Amino acid sequence: MEIISEEILGQTIRAREPMSHKGNYGRVCLIGGDQHYGGAIILASQAAVHSGAGLVTTATMKVNHGPLHARLPEAMVVDWSESDRLTTSIQQATVILIGPGLGLATDSLTLLKRTLMLLTKGQICLIDGSAITLIADYRLTLPDGPTYIFTPHEKEWERLSGLLIENQDRESNRLSVNQLKGIVVLKKHRTEVYLADGIWQNPLGTAAMATGGMGDTLAGMIAGFVAQFPLNNAILAAVYLHSYIGERLGKAHYVVLPSELITHISSLMKRFEGN
Amino acid sequence: MEIISEEILGQTIRAREPMSHKGNYGRVCLIGGDQHYGGAIILASQAAVHSGAGLVTTATMKVNHGPLHARLPEAMVVDWSESDRLTTSIQQATVILIGPGLGLATDSLTLLKRTLMLLTKGQICLIDGSAITLIADYRLTLPDGPTYIFTPHEKEWERLSGLLIENQDRESNRLSVNQLKGIVVLKKHRTEVYLADGIWQNPLGTAAMATGGMGDTLAGMIAGFVAQFPLNNAILAAVYLHSYIGERLGKAHYVVLPSELITHISSLMKRFEGN
Amino acid sequence: MEIISEEILGQTIRAREPMSHKGNYGRVCLIGGDQHYGGAIILASQAAVHSGAGLVTTATMKVNHGPLHARLPEAMVVDWSESDRLTTSIQQATVILIGPGLGLATDSLTLLKRTLMLLTKGQICLIDGSAITLIADYRLTLPDGPTYIFTPHEKEWERLSGLLIENQDRESNRLSVNQLKGIVVLKKHRTEVYLADGIWQNPLGTAAMATGGMGDTLAGMIAGFVAQFPLNNAILAAVYLHSYIGERLGKAHYVVLPSELITHISSLMKRFEGN
Amino acid sequence: MEIISEEILGQTIRAREPMSHKGNYGRVCLIGGDQHYGGAIILASQAAVHSGAGLVTTATMKVNHGPLHARLPEAMVVDWSESDRLTTSIQQATVILIGPGLGLATDSLTLLKRTLMLLTKGQICLIDGSAITLIADYRLTLPDGPTYIFTPHEKEWERLSGLLIENQDRESNRLSVNQLKGIVVLKKHRTEVYLADGIWQNPLGTAAMATGGMGDTLAGMIAGFVAQFPLNNAILAAVYLHSYIGERLGKAHYVVLPSELITHISSLMKRFEGN
């Protein structure tokens, strides 16, 4: 196992090509936010936009459109019950993030199944929050082709892998990850990233980040990063930077609010930008 | 009677354990906000989140969900007319705050009664604003088991205790508090806290804080504090810090807005954090 | 005619009594904001709260409640079609401001008539924007008892007084004001205030303030000031401070946005506070 | 071809006349924002207001009114399905901007056709985003009289002019622009402005601006500028300043958010104001 270091930031976050345009920075489609957890998909969407994703579309329950736009006019919105439109948004996306605030209702399950069915080779699909639980509970199989990234916390990883939290050592995790055929970001005190070719540990993070919405924010950052940068590095850099900002704000705040953390992503990406 | 001093802050607001997670910082369920007073429950919810509560769920009339999420995506929401969901939220909470903007309508009374019925041993229930008036007007009895904290201003205390404002001396208050079997935070020029084993007076506060929404903000802070810290200290520290921030902002503002005060909670908690 | 000077601020904005509470700073009821002009009543409400009014209730079309609370949780809201509730709000208010974004529809006229009917002795009623036009167009008579303050711009004053803009000299204005039995704040390049016993001119103001919503903001400030301070001084101080802040921000901004101006009211009131 | 230089700012952004009022700074009507792209018209409206337009009315789908007002109470709103009201708003406007987030649905086409029909001599009409695509797809003819400004990116220009992106050299563009009888702001790495009497290139801009909503923001700025300043200079100055702010923020941000850029328009206009 290796430790992620600050160098990952400069290696990953490269100066943008002068001639580039927003189409070069990915199309991210975020799916989540039911009538109770709209805030989760709002935070994830904000994080994706502030991380530099070129175009962001948020598919969520209609009731969440107003507050999302009040906070983030940069995002496009789709009512997740508009089937045709949602299909198009998923098909056009380079990165799909499903899960923040998705909920566990029948409609959420249907939405998840339909999303998985639409994915194609070359797309990156992040599976977060209740999407992980649904996949575990209903033993959904993931179609071959796309690259999958799972972002469970320990309890969700228990559901997905069948490993009790106390049995989640690296070897067991590695075996379970291999079966999943995806990348796993296991969120915990020192978050671990299970890539295809190695395991990385995040040395940063603070208990000041232990508050609702922080995981949704990380998921949105990873989505924004993988939309722009090479896959493995993008994940490691997002995980590291998320905690870096959290630690930094944690020096002056007893609790770090996700919505506050988000406003610092772009300036810290710039500070660490490599040439 | 003793005077709360600044030391309460360091004694109460302890450095967070590095290995902790959001589940360690309480689940707060806030109930309030009808079609006229949605702002009250928004402010209380913001105060709870900014105070560091681990997970915050706000049960309020549906019309308030949009503005709440526009201001505070960190909160989860429940339409207070969704019975099953609300029941679950109350049962899972470690701290319940009922009252800010609850109103005095029949539906509000029903909601209050149902909430009281659901409470169990070990839970902390804050009773604020119109919930106090409803309890007084309908002589509701509070089930044994939970710990109750009342946060009346003088007029609400008159309704609840039967003591006319001019008769609210400490001895009479003490007797009434004893009958209530709860803790009372009596909001006034120099707020008094009636704990089971003593009376404390808040030495701080300024007339710049005399504006609508300030009490809702205090209620949310107390909810956030008791979700994280030992009960008595948590209450005293929240009362003190609320006024401390108010005085501080009052040096540069003729009136201190609750929504402004809230944004300073986390940084001042950090400044006074004890080891 | 006299010129308002900076001294009016210290004479008017007095240090608050330590023992005071929000009830000492007035209850303001603002009425306005139809389906097109909701922003006007939002700005007026923000200005009243930021000026220190103790309790603020905004009666507006239901569609405006969400954005109002998203910006200003400190305000209480009433759907202006809820007759009973609106009646209570008007009766309990010490200051009523009607007009910002009220519109000229039949419903707006009905609302204005009903509001006028409910007013009683001792109340202060500000009449702004479309309420002025409606009073002029339908020759509404104002019941005796309340104190009226009109805040027309020159075209609205033409409608109300019958004086063409080119004939609006001070003598003619004075005669018209006397007939109205109210105070007139005539908004123009150098705003003039026609009190019962004199005419005052505002020496401040800048073309950077020439933008939509600035008048609504002034109306809200006057409402907040007359809720707290002696009538004549309150009006003069609000007019002066509004332009003072505008000039100040205008040094660094080509256009001064009302929503930005509002955020400076409380700190500048503090700076000029008299003892 | 000439290069736009910083001098255009001082030549265009003139000190406001002290005696002026909001009526002197134009009435801008913005039309756009369907159920998916409400954010686009919100950003354009904010940009127009922050640029100093005297009065701004936004005609958009009703679902967007709430978030628009939550962000921008300075704007008036019209539900774009309210025919009579919309007609009046268009007729009273000095500048009409149609397109940001308009969408390509039948209703959007109808709305565009009706808007074009209502335009009269002396009005300035900006055609942006999906309005350009609709005009190209349905070969709509533009009535004589108004001044037209098109703000396509290269793909939209391909649709409108029939010139493939690789064939978009200046001579070919010039010929196509002449046929259109309008001004074209061709958005690309170094944006080109095709005026009636010359071609200007913008020397500024950065890839940090390559993110969704940036074009909507430029369109709103141009609308705000042409409402206040002489036509050709206004366009050049808006294009230049938009990129100037973007470059400036890009020094400290990896990605520049449109909503952040907007908050700097007014202060930078002031800095470059000419006498």
Side-chain angles (χ1 to χ4, degrees):
Chain A
M1 198 193 63
E2 298 186 73
I3 309 294
I4 314 176
S5 73
E6 198 176 292
E7 280 139 47
I8 192 70
L9 299 178
Q11 284 161 15
T12 306
I13 305 167
R14 313 298 299 186
R16 289 187 162 190
E17 285 297 320
M19 300 282 293
S20 63
H21 57 86
K22 64 187 174 187
N24 298 118
Y25 301 115
R27 298 182 77 101
V28 178
C29 179
L30 302 102
I31 307 170
D34 67 3
Q35 71 270 41
H36 303 114
Y37 302 117
I41 202 70
I42 292 174
L43 287 168
S45 303
Q46 287 189 278
V49 167
H50 282 256
S51 298
L55 283 163
V56 171
T57 299
T58 304
T60 182
M61 200 174 264
K62 200 166 180 55
V63 73
N64 300 317
H65 290 201
L68 174 71
H69 266 155
R71 294 188 72 82
L72 187 74
E74 284 84 358
M76 294 165 283
V77 295
V78 174
D79 177 352
W80 74 15
S81 67
E82 281 181 278
S83 289
D84 292 356
R85 188 80 188 196
L86 179 59
T87 296
T88 308
S89 295
I90 292 170
Q91 289 171 335
Q92 293 180 340
T94 55
V95 177
I96 294 95
L97 162 57
I98 186 163
L102 178 66
L104 300 171
T106 312
D107 283 359
S108 305
L109 176 62
T110 306
L111 189 59
L112 173 59
K113 284 182 179 171
R114 206 152 66 76
T115 299
L116 294 175
M117 214 83 86
L118 288 166
L119 297 176
T120 54
K121 196 159 185 291
Q123 288 184 310
I124 300 170
C125 180
L126 273 99
I127 298 178
D128 181 65
S130 25
I132 296 174
T133 301
L134 287 170
I135 285 175
D137 287 357
Y138 295 91
R139 302 171 181 269
L140 303 183
T141 53
L142 306 180
D144 287 339
T147 301
Y148 295 99
I149 305 168
F150 299 84
T151 51
H153 52 54
E154 293 164 291
K155 191 69 196 165
E156 289 165 342
W157 181 234
E158 179 180 303
R159 289 179 201 133
L160 191 63
S161 66
L163 296 166
L164 296 176
I165 293 180
E166 58 266 36
N167 298 336
Q168 295 178 5
D169 54 82
R170 267 162 223 143
E171 289 70 32
S172 313
N173 288 341
R174 177 78 267 174
L175 289 173
S176 288
V177 170
N178 291 348
Q179 289 182 319
L180 270 179
K181 295 181 193 148
I183 292 166
V184 171
V185 178
L186 178 54
K187 297 182 291 191
K188 44 189 285 195
H189 171 54
R190 290 291 174 232
T191 290
E192 293 166 357
V193 182
Y194 291 81
L195 299 176
D197 59 356
I199 307 176
W200 293 79
Q201 190 182 49
N202 179 20
L204 305 183
T206 160
M209 298 170 75
T211 194
M214 206 43 107
D216 309 307
T217 300
L218 175 60
M221 280 184 72
I222 298 176
F225 274 56
V226 298
Q228 302 172 76
F229 311 122
L231 185 72
N232 288 351
N233 269 8
I235 298 169
L236 299 177
V239 165
Y240 188 91
L241 189 64
H242 178 254
S243 290
Y244 182 94
I245 301 173
E247 279 202 3
R248 195 178 148 90
L249 294 177
K251 294 197 198 311
H253 296 83
Y254 189 74
V255 63
V256 174
L257 260 61
S259 53
E260 168 74 12
L261 188 151
I262 287 166
T263 64
H264 297 269
I265 298 172
S266 176
S267 55
L268 282 160
M269 288 178 75
K270 186 66 185 178
R271 180 168 314 167
F272 288 110
E273 179 191 76
N275 291 301
Chain B
M1 198 193 62
E2 298 186 72
I3 308 296
I4 314 176
S5 74
E6 200 176 289
E7 281 140 46
I8 192 70
L9 299 178
Q11 286 161 15
T12 306
I13 306 166
R14 313 298 298 186
R16 288 186 163 191
E17 284 297 320
M19 300 282 293
S20 63
H21 58 87
K22 64 186 173 187
N24 297 119
Y25 301 115
R27 297 182 77 100
V28 178
C29 179
L30 300 102
I31 306 169
D34 66 4
Q35 71 270 43
H36 304 112
Y37 301 117
I41 202 69
I42 292 175
L43 287 168
S45 302
Q46 288 189 276
V49 168
H50 282 256
S51 298
L55 284 162
V56 170
T57 299
T58 304
T60 182
M61 200 174 265
K62 199 164 179 56
V63 74
N64 300 317
H65 290 200
L68 174 71
H69 266 156
R71 295 187 71 83
L72 188 74
E74 285 84 358
M76 294 166 282
V77 295
V78 175
D79 177 353
W80 74 15
S81 67
E82 282 180 276
S83 290
D84 291 355
R85 188 81 187 195
L86 179 59
T87 296
T88 308
S89 295
I90 292 169
Q91 287 171 335
Q92 293 180 341
T94 56
V95 176
I96 293 96
L97 162 56
I98 187 163
L102 179 65
L104 300 172
T106 313
D107 282 0
S108 305
L109 176 62
T110 305
L111 188 60
L112 173 59
K113 283 181 179 171
R114 205 152 66 77
T115 298
L116 293 175
M117 214 82 86
L118 288 165
L119 297 176
T120 54
K121 198 159 185 290
Q123 288 184 310
I124 300 170
C125 180
L126 271 100
I127 297 177
D128 182 65
S130 24
I132 297 173
T133 301
L134 287 169
I135 286 175
D137 287 357
Y138 296 91
R139 302 173 180 268
L140 304 183
T141 53
L142 307 180
D144 286 339
T147 301
Y148 295 99
I149 306 168
F150 298 85
T151 50
H153 53 55
E154 292 164 292
K155 191 68 196 168
E156 290 165 340
W157 181 234
E158 179 179 303
R159 290 179 200 132
L160 190 63
S161 66
L163 294 167
L164 297 176
I165 294 180
E166 59 266 35
N167 298 336
Q168 295 178 3
D169 55 83
R170 269 163 221 139
E171 289 70 33
S172 312
N173 289 340
R174 178 78 267 173
L175 290 173
S176 287
V177 170
N178 291 348
Q179 289 182 319
L180 270 179
K181 295 181 193 149
I183 292 166
V184 171
V185 178
L186 178 55
K187 298 182 290 192
K188 44 189 282 199
H189 171 55
R190 290 292 175 232
T191 289
E192 293 166 359
V193 182
Y194 291 81
L195 300 175
D197 59 356
I199 307 176
W200 293 80
Q201 190 181 50
N202 179 20
L204 305 183
T206 158
M209 298 170 75
T211 193
M214 205 45 106
D216 308 306
T217 300
L218 174 60
M221 281 184 73
I222 298 176
F225 274 57
V226 298
Q228 301 172 77
F229 311 122
L231 186 72
N232 287 352
N233 269 9
I235 298 168
L236 298 177
V239 165
Y240 187 90
L241 190 63
H242 178 256
S243 290
Y244 182 93
I245 301 173
E247 279 201 5
R248 196 177 148 91
L249 293 176
K251 294 198 200 310
H253 296 84
Y254 189 73
V255 62
V256 174
L257 258 62
S259 53
E260 167 75 11
L261 187 150
I262 287 166
T263 65
H264 297 269
I265 297 172
S266 176
S267 55
L268 282 161
M269 287 177 75
K270 185 65 185 178
R271 179 168 314 168
F272 287 110
E273 179 190 74
N275 291 302
Chain C
M1 199 192 63
E2 296 186 72
I3 308 294
I4 313 176
S5 73
E6 200 176 289
E7 281 140 47
I8 193 70
L9 299 178
Q11 285 161 15
T12 306
I13 305 166
R14 313 299 299 187
R16 288 185 163 192
E17 283 297 320
M19 301 282 293
S20 63
H21 58 87
K22 65 186 172 187
N24 298 119
Y25 301 114
R27 298 182 77 100
V28 177
C29 178
L30 301 101
I31 307 169
D34 66 5
Q35 71 270 45
H36 304 112
Y37 301 117
I41 202 70
I42 292 174
L43 288 168
S45 302
Q46 288 189 277
V49 168
H50 282 256
S51 297
L55 284 163
V56 170
T57 299
T58 304
T60 182
M61 201 175 265
K62 200 166 180 55
V63 74
N64 300 317
H65 291 201
L68 174 71
H69 267 156
R71 295 187 71 83
L72 188 74
E74 284 85 356
M76 296 166 282
V77 295
V78 175
D79 177 353
W80 73 14
S81 67
E82 282 181 276
S83 288
D84 291 356
R85 189 80 186 196
L86 179 59
T87 296
T88 307
S89 294
I90 292 170
Q91 287 171 335
Q92 292 180 341
T94 55
V95 176
I96 293 96
L97 163 57
I98 186 162
L102 179 65
L104 300 172
T106 313
D107 281 1
S108 305
L109 176 62
T110 306
L111 189 60
L112 173 59
K113 282 182 179 169
R114 205 154 65 78
T115 299
L116 294 175
M117 214 82 87
L118 287 165
L119 298 176
T120 54
K121 198 160 185 293
Q123 289 185 311
I124 300 170
C125 181
L126 271 99
I127 297 177
D128 182 64
S130 26
I132 297 173
T133 301
L134 288 169
I135 286 176
D137 287 357
Y138 296 90
R139 301 171 181 270
L140 304 182
T141 53
L142 307 180
D144 287 338
T147 301
Y148 296 99
I149 306 169
F150 299 85
T151 51
H153 53 54
E154 291 164 293
K155 190 69 195 168
E156 289 165 341
W157 181 234
E158 180 179 303
R159 289 179 201 132
L160 191 62
S161 67
L163 295 167
L164 297 176
I165 294 180
E166 60 265 35
N167 298 336
Q168 294 177 5
D169 55 82
R170 269 162 220 140
E171 289 70 34
S172 312
N173 289 339
R174 179 77 266 175
L175 289 174
S176 288
V177 171
N178 290 349
Q179 287 181 321
L180 270 179
K181 294 182 194 148
I183 291 166
V184 172
V185 178
L186 178 54
K187 297 183 290 192
K188 45 188 281 195
H189 171 54
R190 290 293 174 230
T191 290
E192 293 167 358
V193 182
Y194 291 81
L195 300 175
D197 59 357
I199 307 176
W200 292 79
Q201 189 182 51
N202 179 20
L204 304 182
T206 159
M209 299 171 75
T211 194
M214 206 42 108
D216 308 307
T217 301
L218 175 60
M221 282 184 71
I222 298 176
F225 274 56
V226 299
Q228 301 171 77
F229 310 121
L231 185 71
N232 287 351
N233 269 9
I235 298 169
L236 298 177
V239 165
Y240 188 90
L241 189 63
H242 178 255
S243 290
Y244 182 93
I245 301 173
E247 279 202 3
R248 195 178 149 90
L249 294 175
K251 294 198 200 309
H253 295 82
Y254 189 74
V255 62
V256 174
L257 259 61
S259 53
E260 167 74 11
L261 188 152
I262 287 166
T263 65
H264 298 269
I265 298 172
S266 175
S267 55
L268 282 161
M269 287 177 75
K270 187 65 184 179
R271 178 167 314 168
F272 288 110
E273 178 190 74
N275 292 300
Chain D
M1 197 192 63
E2 297 186 72
I3 308 295
I4 314 177
S5 73
E6 200 176 290
E7 280 141 46
I8 193 69
L9 299 178
Q11 285 161 16
T12 306
I13 306 166
R14 313 298 300 187
R16 288 187 162 190
E17 284 296 320
M19 300 281 292
S20 64
H21 57 87
K22 63 186 174 189
N24 298 119
Y25 301 114
R27 298 181 77 100
V28 178
C29 179
L30 300 102
I31 306 169
D34 67 4
Q35 71 271 41
H36 303 113
Y37 302 118
I41 202 69
I42 292 174
L43 288 168
S45 303
Q46 287 189 277
V49 167
H50 281 257
S51 298
L55 284 163
V56 171
T57 299
T58 303
T60 183
M61 200 175 264
K62 200 167 179 54
V63 74
N64 299 317
H65 291 200
L68 174 71
H69 266 155
R71 295 188 71 83
L72 187 74
E74 284 84 357
M76 296 166 282
V77 295
V78 174
D79 177 353
W80 74 13
S81 67
E82 281 181 277
S83 290
D84 291 355
R85 190 78 187 198
L86 179 58
T87 297
T88 308
S89 294
I90 293 170
Q91 288 171 335
Q92 292 180 341
T94 55
V95 177
I96 293 96
L97 163 57
I98 186 163
L102 178 65
L104 300 171
T106 312
D107 282 1
S108 305
L109 176 62
T110 306
L111 189 60
L112 173 59
K113 283 182 179 170
R114 205 153 65 77
T115 299
L116 293 175
M117 213 80 89
L118 287 166
L119 297 176
T120 53
K121 196 158 185 294
Q123 288 184 311
I124 299 171
C125 180
L126 271 100
I127 297 177
D128 182 64
S130 25
I132 296 174
T133 301
L134 287 170
I135 286 175
D137 287 356
Y138 296 92
R139 301 172 182 268
L140 304 183
T141 52
L142 307 180
D144 287 338
T147 300
Y148 295 99
I149 305 169
F150 298 85
T151 52
H153 54 53
E154 292 165 290
K155 191 69 195 166
E156 289 165 342
W157 180 234
E158 180 179 302
R159 289 179 200 132
L160 191 62
S161 67
L163 295 167
L164 297 176
I165 293 179
E166 58 265 36
N167 297 335
Q168 295 179 4
D169 56 82
R170 268 161 222 141
E171 289 71 33
S172 311
N173 289 340
R174 178 78 266 175
L175 289 173
S176 288
V177 171
N178 290 349
Q179 289 181 321
L180 271 179
K181 295 182 192 147
I183 292 166
V184 172
V185 177
L186 178 54
K187 297 182 290 192
K188 45 188 283 195
H189 172 54
R190 291 293 174 230
T191 289
E192 292 166 358
V193 182
Y194 291 80
L195 300 176
D197 59 357
I199 307 176
W200 292 79
Q201 189 181 50
N202 179 20
L204 304 182
T206 161
M209 298 170 76
T211 193
M214 206 43 106
D216 308 307
T217 301
L218 174 60
M221 280 183 73
I222 297 176
F225 274 57
V226 298
Q228 301 172 75
F229 310 122
L231 185 72
N232 287 351
N233 269 10
I235 297 168
L236 298 177
V239 166
Y240 187 90
L241 189 64
H242 178 256
S243 290
Y244 182 94
I245 301 173
E247 279 202 6
R248 196 178 150 91
L249 294 175
K251 293 198 199 311
H253 296 82
Y254 189 73
V255 61
V256 174
L257 260 62
S259 53
E260 168 74 12
L261 188 152
I262 287 166
T263 64
H264 298 269
I265 297 171
S266 175
S267 55
L268 282 161
M269 288 177 74
K270 187 65 185 180
R271 180 168 314 166
F272 288 110
E273 179 190 75
N275 292 301

